[in-house]
Amino acid sequence: MPRRFPWALHPPVRAPVVFGAETLRRMVPVLDALADRVRRYRREQWYRDEVGDRDAESTPVEEFRR
């Protein structure tokens, strides 16, 4: 296991940065739209990496069981 001392400080040091960035994103509509586009692009990239060029398909359950 790695030593805990330097990593124990990571969340408290990072929290104000994340809070500030999220507050700014919510207050500035352009930043919110940009963040949305980036998240959509990354999600679509992940989906293409996992599934490839196939379309998503779903088959309904024919019989429900308890």
Side-chain angles (χ1 to χ4, degrees):
M1 299 261 319
R3 294 176 45 200
R4 68 182 163 149
F5 173 67
W7 297 110
L9 296 176
H10 187 260
V13 169
R14 186 172 152 93
V17 175
V18 172
F19 178 76
E22 282 296 310
T23 302
L24 190 62
R25 180 188 64 83
R26 290 175 184 246
M27 296 180 93
V28 179
V30 174
L31 292 177
D32 192 35
L34 178 66
D36 184 50
R37 276 194 309 241
V38 169
R39 285 190 300 254
R40 285 175 189 250
Y41 174 78
R42 292 185 69 194
R43 183 180 63 235
E44 289 169 3
Q45 283 296 112
W46 173 84
Y47 184 76
R48 275 194 291 272
D49 289 344
E50 292 294 318
V51 177
D53 292 334
R54 293 181 291 138
D55 288 336
E57 55 186 52
S58 172
T59 55
V61 176
E62 294 180 10
E63 180 182 330
F64 291 107
R65 295 183 181 188
R66 276 192 130 176

